[in-house]
């Protein structure tokens, strides 16, 4: 048996026997709540094991007869492997945490007759409101919007282009330039051709009026001053075509808000949003949804600044229409000469030419940045940077009209009396039709441009320090934004009959009870109910301690050997104290090595250890690494090498934590090591006693999925899709993860199911097979938490990914249709909740709402199944609740069942003794997707390369995870 797969059994003698498979409902059929009337059954399948059946007595998955045997590899072999006996625990009863209420609720639960086809899926209506938990009041940053009901909004299509007119293309100008042209059109024609109407314009093709214009189609000639840097700032003529497109009836919107119409009237909502965005577009710098201003900008370092601003969006919610307003911030380029920015960005001397790596970095960060010249008659003319010259500025020359060669340096001296000092650096390439070379010192970065590249650790720290606000401060600043926008006196709001409240929305919230956690019976505290979202390991031992008999360590930092050895000794002592079986001595004594030889050292260390252990048929289980001081560079190298080549889990430690040995730090590292070698830290008492709603009634697999995209400014790297799945029903504490690369910025996960020359495959199929191997059960239910999906992608993600799940199940066995609940997890939204009252009954120590706070009324969707849950305690700043939106539910969860289950799972996160802000399966999927980006060979790509999606090239796959690594929670 592989020593890395060993886990300590619990202390009771019954721990070695097989658990009873009895569900809560006794003899109830799968999918029926105890005591409920019989429901129509789906077509006969082999996916419903008896509630009392033990593992090996279940029928195995059978391949479809039409498939060749090679298409279903190892189905029989993995079925024949009996599952390890799950650990048993003492049957001590936990406190009655809403158990009686849940039991009554489960009796009322009804299940749909059969899993529907994903093609026929419709928006899921809310099954009701939750009742479990202590009620209290909170405020939300949603401001009620009322619209005059009898108004009809007319939508017109706009096309504009400079004369002479070649074609009508709205993309001919930026949004700001287009708004300037239309504003001039309105100023000149409002009282005449526009019939006194005040239109709202979005900067592209859409113009809205509160009533019909006197014409259905008309062209206007408009003259505006070109302030984009032409020498004479001359007037430019534009041709603007306005043509009627459609109407947006507010009556349909009101029917949707009242639940009488299911299809959302998107055009009406878009029109109202454009109207309310018109005033801030005139006063601030719009960038996407938010608006920014440079007042009080904070310096972040490396010639970047942090601009503050606000986000606003009109949303249909339970109480009607609301305007969601939140504070935001973003890094911007500092408006300075380009040479000064580059000097700060690279920390290089101007007397030395760029290396190839420096050239690539500077070109990547400056590409598409707008600059203005600072010399001569072309002062303030603006250009967009296309790239950098390959030659140094002093080597650049051109032929004049007489054919004489002139260098760029000579040109600037003779024409403008400017001495170019940075002659060793390349010049900027600008211009559309003709390529123009501009020395960096002759250009200045235009103000108000977002810095879209990855920030350094120092910049991130500075940004968090500048923008972190306590809840009361954030609440007051949001109210200041509302007052400053002055919607009551806004000309656009009055024109369209819109009124916006100046008060935050009041919401009825509930604080869900914290779950009871189970620890090992050998500890003094066998069970624990967390307080305000956190607890500790004092007087407790982990429920399943991993075994580490063969390990090694290496030091790549400047920490001296004695200090490093003392740290390793304390770490091992902590691992043993919390309940792990850990050999004190490493296979190979501690080594201190130069980080420049990191990869060579790790390979050599692994080979030496394997040569020693091969005599006993053992393998190296764990590698502990002290990273160099510049740890961000080397961390990824360690993980890539260990997980894709050496087949070993690793634990990295920063050198600053070695000197100041903190018990809390040692405890957290020990918890991470335990799950990496196959142990469990804690489980829910309700899970062990089969009291979790629905998921412990029948074998249930819980998935988490996420897609991470390249950082802004990266136009070539693939997106990374990750899927994790629970492997230890009913405990639900261990998750196995898989990753896959896919097309640049593609959100739909492509490799959930696929068919190759070897037969059917994909991440869902592999994880279902793994679940069966580990538990001896076929999943009767699937709970799928999907992270990272925006509202506009709900229908597409649900359709395609549900189809992939269905195909993966059907490839294992004909008519195998486990019931699926598909939940989208959204963290990147702008809803904030504030306590209505101060005090311990309403806030935690940071002044935030209490962990376990759930809101499923007022600010939620008018009809669909969603809720906001703040499952974590705040540490600094204002807590952000997570938004859960249920797109499909064939398992028949009630609102409070899913809310309570999700909140309880947030207490099982393996890396710390705190509840976390998003449900752990989704959290783990994000971790493994982020980890897999280290596997990419980033040195071979640069920002100038086109993405695979745009060029049609296939995506280069990630290096595969090694077999032993992917069995464990290596990503923790």
């Amino acid at each position: 048996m592989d020593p890395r797969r060993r886990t300590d059994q619990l202390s009771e003698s019954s721990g070695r026997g097989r658990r009873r498979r009895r569900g809560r409902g006794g003899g109830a059929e799968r999918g029926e709540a105890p005591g409920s009337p019989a429901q129509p059954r789906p077509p006969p399948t082999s996916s419903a094991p008896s509630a009392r059946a033990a593992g090996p007595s279940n029928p195995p998955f059978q391949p479809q007869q039409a498939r060749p045997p090679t298409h279903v590899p190892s189905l029989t072999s993995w079925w024949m492997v009996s599952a390890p006996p799950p650990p048993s625990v003492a049957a001590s009863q936990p406190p009655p945490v809403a158990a009686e209420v849940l039991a009554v609720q489960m009796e009322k639960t009804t299940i749909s007759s059969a899993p529907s086809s994903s093609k026929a899926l419709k928006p899921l209506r809310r099954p009701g409101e939750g009742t479990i938990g202590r009620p209290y009041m909170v405020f939300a940053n949603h401001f009620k919007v009322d619209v005059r009901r009898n108004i009809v909004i007319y939508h017109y299509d706009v096309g504009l282009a400079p004369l002479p007119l070649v074609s009508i293309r709205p993309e001919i100008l930026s949004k700001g330039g287009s708004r300037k042209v239309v504003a001039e059109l309105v100023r000149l024609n409002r009282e005449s051709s526009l019939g006194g109407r005040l239109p709202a314009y979005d900067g592209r093709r859409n113009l809205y009026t509160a009533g019909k214009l006197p014409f259905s189609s008309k062209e206007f000639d408009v003259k505006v001053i070109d302030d984009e840097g032409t020498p004479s700032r001359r007037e430019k003529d534009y041709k603007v075509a306005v043509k009627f497109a459609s109407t947006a009836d507010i009556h349909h919107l009101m029917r949707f808000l009242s639940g009488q119409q299911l299809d959302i009237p998107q055009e009406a909502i878009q029109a109202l949003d454009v109207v309310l965005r018109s005033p801030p577009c005139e006063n601030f710098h719009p960038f996407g949804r938010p608006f920014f201003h440079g007042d009080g900008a904070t310096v972040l370092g490396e010639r970047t600044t942090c601009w503050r601003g606000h986000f606003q969006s009109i949303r249909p919610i339970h109480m009607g229409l609301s305007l969601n307003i939140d504070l935001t911030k973003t890094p911007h380029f500092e408006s300075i000469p380009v040479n000064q920015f580059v000097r700060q960005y690279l920390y290089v001397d101007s007397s030395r030419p760029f290396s190839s790596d420096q050239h690539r970095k500077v070109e990547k960060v400056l590409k598409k940045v707008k600059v203005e010249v600072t010399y001569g008659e072309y002062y303030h003319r603006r250009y967009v940077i296309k790239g950098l010259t390959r030659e140094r500025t002093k080597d650049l020359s051109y032929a004049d009209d007489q054919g004489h060669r002139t260098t760029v340096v000579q040109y600037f001296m003779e024409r403008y009396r400017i001495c170019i000092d940075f002659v060793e650096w390349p010049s900027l390439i600008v211009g559309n039709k003709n390529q123009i070379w501009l020395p960096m010192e002759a250009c200045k970065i235009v103000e108000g441009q977002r810095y879209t590249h990855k920030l350094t650790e120092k910049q991130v720290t500075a940004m968090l320090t500048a923008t972190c606000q306590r809840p009361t401060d954030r609440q007051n600043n949001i109210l200041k934004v509302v007052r400053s926008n002055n919607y009551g006196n806004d000309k656009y709001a009055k024109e369209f009959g819109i009124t916006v409240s100046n008060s935050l929305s009041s919401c009825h919230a509930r604080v869900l009870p914290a779950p009871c956690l189970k620890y090992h019976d050998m500890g003094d505290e066998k069970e624990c109910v967390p307080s305000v979202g956190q607890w500790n390991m004092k007087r407790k031992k982990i429920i399943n301690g991993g075994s580490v008999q063969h390990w090694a360590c290496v030091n790549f930092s400047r920490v001296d050997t004695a200090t490093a050895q003392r740290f390793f000794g304390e770490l091992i002592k902590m691992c043993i104290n919390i309940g792990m079986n850990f050999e004190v001595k490493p296979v190979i004594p501690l080594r201190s090595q130069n980080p420049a030889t990191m990869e060579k050292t790790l390979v050599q260390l692994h080979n030496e250890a394997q040569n020693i252990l091969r005599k006993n048929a053992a393998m190296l289980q764990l590698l502990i690494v002290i990273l160099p001081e510049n740890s961000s560079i080397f961390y990824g190298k360690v993980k890539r090498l260990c997980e894709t080549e050496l087949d070993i889990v690793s634990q990295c430690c920063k050198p600053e934590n070695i000197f100041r040995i903190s018990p809390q730090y040692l405890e957290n590292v020990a918890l991470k090591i335990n799950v990496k070698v196959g142990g469990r830290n804690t489980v829910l008492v309700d899970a062990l006693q089969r009291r979790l709603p629905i998921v412990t009634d029948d074998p249930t697999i819980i998935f988490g999925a996420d897609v991470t995209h390249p950082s802004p400014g990266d136009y070539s790297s693939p997106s990374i899709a990750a899927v994790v799945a629970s492997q230890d029903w009913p405990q639900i504490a261990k998750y196995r993860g898989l990753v896959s690369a896919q097309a640049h910025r593609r959100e739909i996960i492509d490799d959930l199911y696929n068919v190759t020359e070897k037969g059917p495959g994909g991440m869902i199929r592999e994880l279902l097979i793994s679940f069966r191997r580990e538990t001896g059960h076929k999943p009767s239910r699937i709970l799928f938490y999907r992270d990272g999906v925006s509202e506009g992608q709900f229908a597409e993600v649900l359709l395609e990914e549900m189809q992939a799940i269905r195909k993966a199940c059907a490839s294992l066995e004909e008519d195998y249709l486990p019931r699926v609940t598909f939940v989208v997890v959204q963290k990147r939204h702008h809803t904030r909740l504030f306590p209505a009252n101060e005090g311990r009954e309403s806030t935690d120590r940071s002044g935030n709402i209490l962990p376990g706070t759930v809101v499923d009324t007022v600010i939620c969707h008018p009809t669909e199944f969603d809720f906001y849950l703040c499952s974590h305690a705040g540490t600094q700043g204002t807590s952000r609740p997570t938004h859960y939106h249920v797109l499909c539910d064939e398992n028949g969860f009630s609102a409070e069942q899913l809310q309570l289950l999700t909140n309880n799972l947030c207490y099982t996160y393996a890396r710390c003794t705190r509840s976390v802000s998003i449900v752990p399966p989704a959290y783990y999927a994000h971790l493994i997707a982020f980890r897999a980006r280290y596997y990419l060979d980033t040195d071979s790509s640069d920002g100038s390369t086109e993405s695979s999606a745009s060029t049609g090239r296939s995506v280069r796959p990630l290096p595969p995870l090694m077999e032993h690594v992917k069995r464990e929670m290596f990503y923790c």
Side-chain angles (χ1 to χ4, degrees):
M1 182 179 183
D2 185 348
R4 292 182 295 186
R5 301 291 296 149
R6 294 178 53 192
T7 56
D8 289 347
Q9 300 296 321
L10 294 179
S11 56
E12 293 90 359
S13 59
S14 61
R16 298 185 180 277
R18 184 172 300 278
R19 289 185 58 85
R20 293 177 298 170
R21 304 296 181 188
R22 180 173 300 171
R24 292 196 56 198
E29 290 288 322
R30 181 181 67 86
E32 298 180 82
S36 64
Q39 302 295 324
R41 301 299 299 154
T45 72
S46 58
S47 60
S50 169
R52 300 176 182 269
S57 62
N58 290 336
F61 287 158
Q62 297 295 332
Q64 299 181 28
Q65 297 300 320
R67 298 183 185 272
T70 55
H71 281 195
V72 193
S74 71
L75 278 179
T76 304
S77 61
W78 69 256
W79 163 246
M80 294 304 293
V81 178
S82 60
S88 176
V89 295
S92 57
Q93 295 294 328
V97 182
E100 295 79 8
V101 182
L102 265 182
V104 174
Q105 181 63 45
M106 291 178 68
E107 290 180 1
K108 298 178 181 179
T109 302
T110 58
I111 308 297
S112 59
S113 60
S116 60
S117 169
S118 56
K119 290 185 178 180
L121 292 173
K122 295 181 179 180
L124 184 67
R125 297 185 71 91
R126 189 184 309 279
E129 298 173 1
T131 58
I132 293 179
R134 177 175 61 82
Y136 78 121
M137 295 298 296
V138 297
F139 293 133
N141 58 337
H142 287 253
F143 299 84
K144 185 171 176 56
V145 174
D146 291 311
V147 184
R148 195 167 64 236
R149 288 178 177 266
N150 61 348
I151 192 172
V152 178
I153 298 177
Y154 283 75
H155 175 205
Y156 292 86
D157 182 78
V158 176
L160 61 143
L163 292 173
L165 187 63
V166 178
S167 62
I168 296 179
R169 294 178 300 163
E171 296 80 14
I172 201 73
L173 292 175
S174 65
K175 278 190 175 183
S178 298
R179 286 192 179 100
K180 186 173 182 179
V181 173
V182 172
E184 182 66 9
L185 182 153
V186 173
R187 187 185 70 82
L188 296 173
N189 300 279
R190 179 179 178 184
E191 299 302 328
S192 55
S193 298
L194 299 182
R197 303 291 184 189
L198 177 63
Y201 177 54
D202 71 346
R204 288 300 186 201
R205 299 191 65 97
N206 303 299
L207 184 142
Y208 299 95
T209 59
K212 190 176 182 180
L213 293 177
F215 56 84
S216 60
S217 177
K218 189 177 180 64
E219 289 188 354
F220 298 86
D221 293 328
V222 182
K223 295 177 181 285
V224 296
I225 296 177
D226 183 7
D227 62 352
E228 292 295 308
T230 54
S232 61
R233 297 174 63 81
R234 66 179 183 270
E235 287 186 339
K236 183 176 282 189
D237 296 334
Y238 289 90
K239 177 76 72 174
V240 181
V242 179
K243 183 178 180 181
F244 173 76
S246 62
T247 59
D249 194 343
I250 300 301
H251 175 69
H252 292 163
L253 176 60
M254 298 305 168
R255 286 178 55 84
F256 170 77
L257 295 173
S258 62
Q260 301 175 49
Q261 176 179 321
L262 291 180
D263 295 333
I264 181 169
Q266 193 62 50
E267 187 171 15
I269 294 176
Q270 179 181 338
L272 296 176
D273 192 58
V274 170
V275 172
L276 292 178
R277 288 177 61 84
S278 295
C281 282
E282 296 175 354
N283 303 320
F284 303 103
H285 293 270
F287 195 98
R289 303 299 302 178
F291 303 93
F292 297 99
H293 58 83
D295 299 337
T298 304
V299 176
L300 300 179
E302 298 185 13
R303 296 302 184 179
T304 57
T305 59
C306 175
W307 283 29
R308 291 180 174 85
H310 75 275
F311 166 95
Q312 72 173 52
S313 175
I314 195 165
R315 298 181 58 81
I317 59 174
H318 201 273
M319 70 174 182
L321 284 176
S322 80
L323 187 64
N324 179 208
I325 296 181
D326 190 24
L327 304 180
T328 187
K329 76 282 182 186
T330 190
H332 277 68
F333 284 96
E334 192 174 350
S335 182
I336 56 173
V338 178
N339 60 307
Q340 292 185 24
F341 172 81
V342 173
R343 177 180 281 177
Q344 290 289 324
Y345 184 71
L346 290 181
Y347 295 101
V348 293
D349 186 3
S350 60
S351 63
R352 296 183 178 181
F354 286 180
S355 66
S356 59
D357 183 60
Q358 290 171 336
H359 188 282
R360 182 169 63 248
K361 288 179 64 177
V362 173
E363 186 173 53
K364 183 176 181 179
V365 76
L366 288 180
K367 200 168 186 180
K368 298 186 179 181
V369 172
K370 187 179 292 185
V371 296
E372 59 183 15
V373 298
T374 57
Y375 58 87
E377 70 271 22
Y378 296 101
Y379 186 69
H380 284 319
R381 171 170 279 187
R382 295 180 177 180
Y383 297 97
V384 175
I385 299 175
K386 307 295 184 183
L388 300 183
T389 60
R390 304 305 302 181
E391 303 86 356
R392 297 173 295 182
T393 298
K394 69 179 183 181
D395 297 329
L396 294 173
S397 64
Y398 67 97
D400 59 18
D401 295 337
Q402 289 74 34
H404 300 126
R405 302 297 300 180
T406 304
T407 67
V408 170
V409 175
Q410 290 174 337
Y411 171 81
F412 275 86
M413 175 57 71
E414 295 172 0
R415 180 73 181 269
Y416 303 107
R417 297 299 177 187
I418 296 176
C419 179
I420 303 299
D421 296 325
F422 291 74
V423 295
E424 296 292 335
W425 288 6
S427 288
L428 305 177
I429 300 175
V430 300
N432 293 322
K433 296 180 180 178
N434 300 318
Q435 192 176 96
I436 302 173
W437 298 329
L438 293 178
M440 292 185 185
E441 59 202 283
C443 304
K444 180 182 180 181
I445 296 175
V446 175
E447 185 184 36
Q449 297 182 86
R450 277 188 64 182
Y451 182 84
T452 58
H453 301 272
K454 186 176 181 179
L455 299 177
T456 64
E457 291 184 7
K458 290 183 179 179
Q459 288 173 321
V460 171
T461 302
M463 194 164 180
L464 291 175
T465 302
T467 59
C468 185
Q469 295 181 335
R470 288 180 62 84
T472 52
D473 296 333
R474 192 182 192 98
Q475 177 180 336
N476 292 333
N477 288 330
I478 290 174
L479 291 172
K480 287 181 182 179
V481 170
V482 176
R483 288 193 293 268
S484 66
N485 287 347
N486 195 15
Y487 296 106
N489 295 320
D490 175 59
K491 59 183 180 181
Y492 291 98
K494 288 182 177 180
E495 174 78 11
F496 287 81
I498 300 174
T499 57
V500 180
S501 171
N502 290 326
S503 303
L504 297 163
S505 297
S506 297
C507 304
H508 291 280
R510 294 171 288 116
V511 182
L512 300 178
C516 184
L517 303 177
K518 176 62 180 174
Y519 282 92
H520 202 287
D521 286 343
M522 292 296 291
D524 294 333
E525 291 188 16
K526 302 173 180 60
E527 294 178 359
C528 168
V529 178
S531 174
V532 197
Q534 52 190 326
W535 65 102
N536 57 52
M537 288 296 296
K538 292 181 180 178
R539 307 176 67 232
K540 304 179 188 69
K541 292 188 180 296
I542 50 182
I543 191 166
N544 291 119
S547 177
V548 179
Q549 301 300 316
H550 313 297
W551 62 283
C553 53
V554 61
N555 174 25
F556 291 109
S557 71
R558 290 193 290 267
V559 176
D560 62 275
T561 303
T563 301
Q565 287 178 334
R566 183 168 63 254
F567 168 78
F568 286 124
E570 293 297 324
L571 177 60
I572 295 167
K573 186 187 299 183
M574 177 62 73
C575 291
I576 295 174
N577 288 343
I578 67 171
M580 290 185 67
N581 181 12
F582 210 115
E583 172 60 40
V584 176
K585 293 184 178 181
V587 176
I588 297 176
L590 172 65
R591 292 181 178 178
S592 296
Q593 298 289 335
N594 189 328
T597 63
M598 173 176 285
E599 296 192 20
K600 180 180 178 182
T601 299
L602 293 179
V603 172
Q604 182 179 357
L605 179 68
H606 180 262
N607 291 340
E608 291 182 15
Q610 291 300 98
N611 290 334
I612 296 174
L613 296 173
R614 192 172 290 115
K615 303 174 184 178
N616 300 323
M619 297 178 66
L620 194 63
Q621 297 172 263
L622 175 68
L623 178 64
I624 307 178
V625 179
I626 301 179
L627 295 170
E629 280 64 25
N630 190 9
S631 58
S632 60
I633 300 175
F634 295 97
Y635 175 83
K637 292 183 178 181
V638 172
K639 296 302 181 180
R640 178 184 58 79
L641 189 65
C642 290
E643 293 161 8
T644 65
E645 296 183 28
L646 302 182
D647 200 6
I648 181 174
V649 294
S650 59
Q651 177 61 51
C652 295
C653 304
K654 292 185 176 181
E656 56 264 29
N657 295 318
I658 307 302
F659 292 104
R660 47 181 180 84
I661 302 177
S662 163
Q664 182 63 52
Y665 174 75
L666 294 176
E667 179 181 294
N668 286 344
V669 174
L671 292 176
K672 293 170 69 174
I673 290 176
N674 183 58
V675 295
K676 287 180 180 181
V677 297
R680 294 185 189 89
N681 294 335
T682 186
V683 296
L684 298 169
V685 169
D686 283 352
L688 293 174
Q689 298 185 359
R690 305 291 182 89
R691 303 198 312 179
L692 286 180
I694 295 183
V695 298
T696 52
D697 294 345
D698 286 309
T700 303
I701 183 170
I702 300 182
F703 286 94
D706 189 21
V707 178
T708 62
H709 303 292
S711 58
D714 186 336
Y715 306 105
S716 61
S717 298
S719 294
I720 305 294
V723 181
V724 303
S726 59
Q727 301 288 294
D728 58 344
W729 183 82
Q731 292 86 356
I732 316 175
K734 296 179 69 173
Y735 294 82
R736 180 170 179 167
L738 300 172
V739 288
S740 175
Q742 58 188 44
H744 181 76
R745 298 205 168 275
R746 174 167 170 77
E747 184 58 48
I748 306 298
I749 302 178
D750 291 328
D751 284 342
L752 290 181
Y753 175 76
N754 56 44
V755 179
T756 65
E757 295 177 354
K758 299 180 180 179
M763 294 187 282
I764 294 292
R765 190 177 193 274
E766 182 173 343
L767 291 170
L768 287 171
I769 292 174
S770 176
F771 179 92
R772 182 65 176 272
R773 282 199 187 108
E774 295 293 329
T775 67
H777 290 279
K778 292 179 296 186
S780 301
R781 307 180 189 272
I782 293 176
L783 178 54
F784 198 94
Y785 286 104
R786 177 65 159 89
D787 194 6
V789 180
S790 63
E791 292 180 359
Q793 298 170 315
F794 279 2
E796 182 183 11
V797 168
L798 178 62
L799 177 62
E800 297 197 26
E801 297 189 0
M802 276 290 289
Q803 284 182 341
I805 294 171
R806 291 282 184 239
K807 290 178 180 178
C809 295
S811 71
L812 292 168
E813 180 179 305
E814 190 174 4
D815 294 330
Y816 173 53
L817 292 174
R819 299 179 183 272
V820 180
T821 298
F822 196 105
V823 185
V824 169
V825 182
Q826 293 179 303
K827 191 68 175 175
R828 294 182 179 179
H829 59 81
H830 289 273
T831 294
R832 298 292 186 276
L833 301 177
F834 306 98
N837 302 298
E838 299 292 335
R840 296 180 60 182
E841 295 297 317
S842 302
T843 66
D844 59 17
R845 287 183 293 181
S846 66
N848 280 287
I849 56 175
L850 294 169
T853 297
V854 63
V855 173
D856 58 2
T857 60
V858 183
I859 60 172
C860 294
H861 194 278
T863 59
E864 296 178 13
F865 188 1
D866 70 328
F867 58 91
Y868 289 91
L869 172 63
C870 182
S871 53
H872 67 295
T875 53
Q876 60 178 353
T878 305
S879 297
R880 189 200 312 249
T882 299
H883 184 222
Y884 296 91
H885 199 124
V886 186
L887 301 187
C888 174
D889 182 24
E890 297 168 351
N891 289 297
F893 280 96
S894 68
E896 57 194 10
Q897 284 176 340
L898 188 59
Q899 292 164 9
L900 194 60
L901 171 64
T902 302
N903 185 63
N904 289 352
L905 290 175
C906 290
Y907 285 79
T908 63
Y909 186 62
R911 304 209 306 176
C912 60
T913 53
R914 299 176 63 93
S915 59
V916 289
S917 59
I918 64 175
V919 68
Y923 205 145
Y924 293 146
H926 176 77
L927 289 179
I928 190 173
F930 187 80
R931 170 71 59 80
R933 199 155 292 281
Y934 292 123
Y935 304 160
L936 296 172
D937 184 13
T938 55
D939 295 336
S940 63
S941 64
D942 59 60
S944 62
T945 307
E946 294 186 29
S947 70
S948 57
S950 63
T951 61
R953 296 195 306 266
S954 60
V955 178
R956 184 176 57 182
L958 294 171
L961 291 168
M962 303 300 287
E963 284 300 318
H964 291 293
V965 166
K966 69 180 181 181
R967 293 178 189 170
E968 312 296 355
M969 297 173 66
F970 65 93
Y971 44 83
C972 284

